[in-house]
């Protein structure tokens, strides 16, 4: 089949493109290569993909209405995996309009492309941040998510609502994936694994927010990609007898799933895994929680397991060892 993968130079997107190409599909990877973080890392991820005969890269903004429309018409994609977005909870506090352009307008152009070109399945990235300050754990896709604590989370919740409206109005099968704290080789420089590893290897102190009591459902990149690849083959259908109780499904061909490790860890354990991988004990500066953050994330993945027969399970010590090994090689 022919796939469009947005965010192809991003962390998750580059892995997904690679897996689809390995399976023999034709993949068009789209990214705008913005400067939210070091563009050299994005080019590094793309370098391996560009050697593949069944991969083609297109540099374009998601909010380019005419460009995206033309791309859909000329390529006639069978399926779309929409991972491109302006990421970052903290960045959204200072730069809100970039999230409107990329995450709201950009998702709208993708939905319109799917609508007018008979795309058989749209899979798109949501986020665990939509759960906000939800006190109930683990976070379930059957929970309400109406109280986001960052604009980034609000745009991701909006994407789910936009997708549902298109599933309802036009019968487009859509699947939203709420990712939980993804990490691994080639991960983002603005995320804790990179920031902590970089500081520890340089002998610099690390900032530990909420005094190390933050809990995150750290999920290794290979587990995330396995979930994405499996779920894109599970094309949702309408649920005629839906009673409105479970918001993760609908009378329309619409589904939402969590992808997380189902095993939240305190930040202190995460740091211990990095320290062991680096062979260095970090100097720590303990600070209160930052605006826009939540104290914990914890994924209920029962519906994902039921749908695809897979549950993320990579151990944090193994995963961080892989990351630190990559990090040393990349900077060498």
């Amino acid at each position: 089949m022919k796939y469009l993968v947005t965010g192809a130079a991003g962390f998750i997107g580059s892995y997904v493109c690679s897996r689809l190409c390995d399976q023999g599909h034709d993949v068009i990877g789209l990214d705008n290569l913005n400067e939210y973080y070091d563009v050299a890392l994005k080019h590094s991820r793309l370098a391996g993909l560009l050697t593949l005969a069944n991969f083609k890269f297109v540099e374009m903004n998601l909010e380019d209405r005419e460009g995206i429309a033309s791309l859909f018409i000329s390529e006639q994609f069978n399926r779309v995996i929409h991972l491109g977005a302006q990421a970052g909870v903290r960045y959204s506090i200072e730069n809100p309009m970039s999230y409107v352009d990329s995450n709201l307008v950009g998702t709208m152009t993708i939905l319109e492309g799917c609508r007018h070109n008979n795309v058989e399945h749209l899979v798109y990235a949501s986020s665990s941040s939509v759960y906000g300050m939800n006190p109930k754990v683990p976070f379930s896709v059957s929970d309400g998510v109406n109280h986001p604590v960052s604009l980034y989370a609000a745009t991701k919740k909006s994407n789910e609502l936009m997708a549902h409206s298109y599933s309802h109005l036009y019968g487009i099968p859509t699947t939203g994936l709420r990712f939980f704290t993804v990490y691994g080789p080639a991960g983002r420089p603005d995320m804790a694994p990179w920031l902590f590893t970089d500081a520890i290897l340089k002998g610099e102190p690390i900032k530990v927010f909420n005094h190390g009591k933050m809990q995150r459902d750290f999920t290794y990149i290979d587990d995330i990609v396995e979930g994405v690849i499996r779920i894109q083959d599970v094309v949702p259908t309408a649920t005629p007898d839906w009673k409105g109780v479970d918001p993760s499904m609908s009378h329309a061909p619409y589904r939402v799933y969590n992808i997380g490790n189902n095993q939240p860890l305190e930040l202190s354990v995460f740091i211990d895994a990095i320290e062991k991988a680096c062979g260095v004990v970090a100097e720590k500066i303990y600070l209160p929680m930052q605006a826009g953050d939540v104290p914990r994330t914890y994924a209920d993945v029962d519906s994902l397991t039921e749908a695809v027969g897979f549950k993320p399970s990579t151990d944090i010590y193994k995963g961080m060892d892989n990351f630190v090994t990559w990090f040393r090689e990349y900077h060498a």
Side-chain angles (χ1 to χ4, degrees):
M1 290 185 289
K2 182 179 284 189
Y3 284 81
L4 170 64
V5 178
T6 70
F11 180 29
I12 301 173
S14 60
Y15 276 82
V16 169
C17 287
S18 179
R19 280 288 297 276
L20 290 171
C21 288
D22 286 347
Q23 292 180 347
H25 303 293
D26 292 324
V27 178
I28 307 296
L30 183 144
D31 204 292
N32 68 353
L33 298 175
N34 69 29
E35 296 182 353
Y36 170 61
Y37 60 80
D38 187 9
V39 178
L41 177 60
K42 299 179 182 182
H43 282 292
S44 175
R45 296 181 185 130
L46 279 175
L49 293 171
L50 291 172
T51 65
L52 303 175
N54 53 343
F55 177 82
K56 183 171 77 172
F57 178 64
V58 174
E59 185 173 349
M60 187 185 298
N61 287 322
L62 284 168
E63 58 269 30
D64 182 346
R65 299 182 188 182
E66 292 184 2
I68 295 293
S70 295
L71 183 66
F72 270 88
I73 292 170
S74 63
E75 296 293 348
Q76 290 299 301
F77 303 108
N78 300 109
R79 294 179 182 174
V80 175
I81 301 180
H82 176 41
L83 304 173
Q86 177 58 60
V89 168
R90 293 161 193 161
Y91 188 74
S92 69
I93 296 172
E94 302 296 332
N95 301 275
M97 294 308 296
S98 63
Y99 291 77
V100 173
D101 293 338
S102 182
N103 299 9
L104 298 182
V105 178
T107 295
M108 191 66 192
T109 66
I110 296 299
L111 286 167
E112 277 289 279
C114 293
R115 169 193 173 190
H116 291 293
N117 295 277
N118 300 312
V119 170
E120 69 179 50
H121 190 191
L122 167 63
V123 176
Y124 63 94
S126 185
S127 168
S128 62
S129 65
V130 300
Y131 290 103
M133 300 298 288
N134 189 348
K136 175 182 168 292
V137 291
F139 297 158
S140 170
V141 290
S142 63
D143 296 338
V145 287
N146 296 317
H147 300 89
V149 295
S150 70
L151 179 64
Y152 170 70
T155 64
K156 288 300 184 178
K157 172 58 179 175
S158 298
N159 290 165
E160 294 179 5
L161 295 173
M162 294 159 70
H164 181 268
S165 68
Y166 270 63
S167 293
H168 170 70
L169 291 170
Y170 309 113
I172 302 169
T174 65
T175 299
L177 301 175
R178 294 174 179 171
F179 297 134
F180 280 69
T181 316
V182 189
Y183 75 100
R188 282 171 26 207
D190 61 324
M191 298 291 284
W194 184 298
L195 295 172
F196 287 172
T197 299
D198 187 46
I200 289 170
L201 290 177
K202 290 178 178 176
E204 299 172 352
I206 61 174
K207 296 178 180 180
V208 183
F209 293 102
N210 202 29
H211 306 282
K213 300 300 182 184
M214 306 271 277
Q215 289 186 327
R216 290 290 182 269
D217 209 338
F218 295 102
T219 313
Y220 191 62
I221 183 62
D222 288 355
D223 289 335
I224 290 289
V225 174
E226 185 67 28
V228 173
I229 295 299
R230 291 194 185 206
I231 207 67
Q232 58 88 25
D233 277 330
V234 183
V235 181
T237 57
T239 307
D241 60 347
W242 181 69
K243 304 299 183 184
V245 176
D246 185 350
S248 72
M249 60 181 64
S250 170
H251 52 74
Y254 165 91
R255 293 291 185 280
V256 173
Y257 298 95
N258 288 333
I259 299 187
N261 207 44
N262 192 229
Q263 188 179 0
L265 298 173
E266 280 200 354
L267 191 55
S268 56
V269 176
F270 180 64
I271 293 170
D272 182 63
I274 301 176
E275 289 174 328
K276 284 184 167 55
C278 293
V280 179
V281 175
E283 178 187 348
K284 304 170 185 70
I285 300 174
Y286 291 97
L287 298 168
M289 192 162 66
Q290 288 187 304
D293 269 349
V294 295
R296 62 182 170 183
T297 62
Y298 182 0
D300 179 337
V301 295
D302 287 350
S303 61
L304 175 72
T305 304
E306 182 179 350
V308 300
F310 170 74
K311 180 178 179 179
S313 61
T314 301
D315 177 76
I316 190 68
Y317 286 90
K318 180 179 185 299
M320 280 312 310
D321 190 62
N322 291 344
F323 172 77
V324 171
T325 297
W326 170 85
F327 188 88
R328 291 180 189 273
E329 293 173 352
Y330 178 75
H331 287 281

